[in-house]
Amino acid sequence: MMLRSFFHLPVFLLFAHATSVYAVCDPETAKLRWPSGNVTFTVELADDFRERAEGLMFREELASSAGMLFVYERPGPVSFWMRNTLIPLDMLFFTEDGVLAHVHSNAIPLDETPIPGGDNIQYVLEINGGLADAYGLRPGAELQHPSLNQAAAEWACPASE
C-alpha cells in the first residue's frame, strides 16, 4: 500500500506542475493576434449560465480597451441577441482552439434578432461596436486566454519559467 501511494506521487507532482505552467496569462486579459496586428482587452468573464445570460445588459458604456469574454464548457452552436443591451457591440466568435471563426459587427442595441455565431463556438468576445473593423480583425485571428484548453490552443499562454 505504501509503495502504491509513493508511485502516484510523481504523477501528482507532474500534473500539479502542468496545470500551473500557464499561470502567466491573466484571466482579466484577452489578447488577439493576426498577421497585421495585435490588441489586448481587459475582460470580464462570463463563464456560467447566469453570467452569460446577463452579459453586458444595462451597461451605458464600455471602455474602448474592455470587453466581456463568454466561455462555454464545450464547443457548440451559439447565438446572441441584444435584449436590454444599450450599446452597440462587435461579437467575435472563436472555436475551441481560440481561432476567430466569425465577426458580427455593430450589433444594434435592444434588437432581439438572433445573431448566430456558428456551430462550433466555445468563446465569444464582446467589444465596442466598430472596433473589429478599426483593428482589421478577421476570421483566423487567434485568442490567448487562460480559459482556453492550452494543449489545443493555437496561441497558448506562455509557459512560466
Side-chain angles (χ1 to χ4, degrees), residues 4 20 28 30 38 40 54 73 78-79 81 84-85 101 106 108 113-114 128 130 132 139 141 146-147 153 159:
R4 182 184 298 179
S20 65
E28 295 181 2
N38 62 73
T40 300
E54 184 176 329
E73 290 77 17
V78 174
S79 187
W81 63 1
N84 300 320
T85 305
N106 284 304
I108 301 165
T113 305
N128 277 297
S147 292

Side-chain angles (χ1 to χ4, degrees), residues 31-51:
K31 295 180 180 182
L32 301 174
R33 72 176 182 188
W34 60 101
S36 61
N38 62 73
V39 65
T40 300
F41 292 97
T42 301
V43 293
E44 295 174 56
L45 282 182
D47 59 0
D48 66 31
F49 180 80
R50 185 193 59 74
E51 292 168 340

